[in-house]
Amino acid sequence: EAQVTQNPRYLITVTGKKLTVTCSQNMNHEYMSWYRQDPGLGLRQIYYSMNVEVTDKGDVPEGYKVSRKEKRNFPLILESPSPNQTSLYFCASSFGLRGDWDTQYFGPGTRLTVL
Amino acid sequence: DQQVKQNSPSLSVQEGRISILNCDYTNSMFDYFLWYKKYPAEGPTFLISISSIKDKNEDGRFTVFLNKSAKHLSLHIVPSQPGDSAVYFCAAMRKNFGNEKLTFGTGTRLTIIP
């Protein structure tokens, strides 16, 4: 089954404690992306990756890091989480390089709370 | 600066009637537009898209209209069904510029009343 998986689905942590949210896709997609969803602000892109070892900033990259060492994985790293990073996070993937945007798949989301 | 706006946070429609969801954008460089549907506790799923070279695209009960001069697009659902109750996001990108960034609107919560 084609899917994007994220772990963990729920996480409560404290300010400053480094954390990683994993994202994995099984569709051999080149393009992967991270979004956060906040009330009244919709979905905002954090980082995206066009392929292995190619990453670029989205609209709200501050406080986040990503890496793309393998095609299937695109972890989101919060080196020093702060309360304003409390949000619902989505990972997505698609054949972006082929312009195949109509097949962008989203993961189920990770709800993060930073105390 | 919200480049893609959905000014109606919520909309209620009687089952069987037409649902019309609206979306406005400010960036005239956007040339590809998409609608996503999101149920609670799930990620968004792609619904329908339209290129700026068209003014209408239809897929079953879903039709998207694009008015480039007004920088406005709308999603029509006819007839509306209870399973259509969800949050709908419009999104835009500069596809022909090789820019793979999607900019989303704030979403509209559609409730279909049985």
Side-chain angles (χ1 to χ4, degrees):
Chain A
E1 180 191 351
Q3 60 182 351
V4 178
T5 56
Q6 296 178 226
N7 281 293
R9 294 289 313 276
Y10 302 89
L11 179 60
I12 301 174
T13 188
V14 294
T15 299
K17 187 176 181 182
K18 181 179 179 180
L19 66 92
T20 299
V21 184
T22 64
C23 173
S24 183
Q25 49 93 3
N26 63 358
M27 296 163 281
N28 203 35
H29 284 164
E30 290 91 358
Y31 182 94
M32 296 186 75
S33 180
W34 277 102
Y35 298 88
R36 60 179 288 175
Q37 183 188 356
D38 301 289
L41 295 174
L43 283 155
R44 294 179 294 167
Q45 193 172 46
I46 302 170
Y47 268 96
Y48 64 98
S49 169
M50 304 280 271
N51 214 326
V52 176
E53 302 292 2
V54 181
T55 63
D56 208 346
K57 295 178 181 178
D59 296 316
V60 287
E62 295 78 20
Y64 304 94
K65 282 175 58 178
V66 292
S67 70
R68 188 88 182 275
K69 294 185 175 11
E70 305 166 280
K71 199 171 188 180
R72 63 181 292 127
N73 296 322
F74 190 44
L76 179 69
I77 303 155
L78 285 73
E79 294 270 2
S80 182
S82 61
N84 64 11
Q85 293 179 297
T86 293
S87 187
L88 179 58
Y89 292 86
F90 291 101
C91 180
S93 74
S94 71
F95 287 118
L97 286 177
R98 305 180 195 177
D100 201 0
W101 281 93
D102 295 2
T103 58
Q104 180 162 209
Y105 290 81
F106 280 80
T110 295
R111 186 164 291 282
L112 172 66
T113 302
V114 183
L115 303 174
Chain B
D1 177 30
Q2 194 74 31
Q3 295 188 67
V4 180
K5 300 178 186 179
Q6 294 175 257
N7 292 318
S8 298
S10 63
L11 176 68
S12 294
V13 174
Q14 207 78 32
E15 181 179 358
R17 299 283 185 100
I18 182 172
S19 294
I20 301 176
L21 295 92
N22 294 304
C23 179
D24 297 295
Y25 60 96
T26 57
N27 189 340
S28 57
M29 306 292 265
F30 288 142
D31 56 15
Y32 198 71
F33 305 88
L34 307 93
W35 284 94
Y36 288 84
K37 178 179 181 179
K38 185 183 176 305
Y39 291 120
E42 294 182 12
T45 55
F46 169 77
L47 195 56
I48 193 168
S49 62
I50 187 167
S51 165
S52 60
I53 62 173
K54 295 184 176 181
D55 54 19
K56 177 183 174 181
N57 189 25
E58 198 170 350
D59 183 3
R61 296 186 297 113
F62 302 92
T63 303
V64 57
F65 295 92
L66 175 62
N67 182 334
K68 285 195 297 287
S69 60
K71 296 193 184 69
H72 177 84
L73 62 153
S74 60
L75 174 68
H76 292 211
I77 307 173
V78 184
S80 300
Q81 298 175 354
D84 296 330
S85 294
V87 176
Y88 290 78
F89 292 98
C90 67
M93 65 183 301
R94 295 167 55 185
K95 189 174 182 182
N96 288 333
F97 293 87
N99 187 319
E100 303 289 346
K101 271 181 52 174
L102 264 184
T103 301
F104 281 83
T106 51
T108 296
R109 181 178 301 278
L110 176 65
T111 302
I112 305 302
I113 304 163

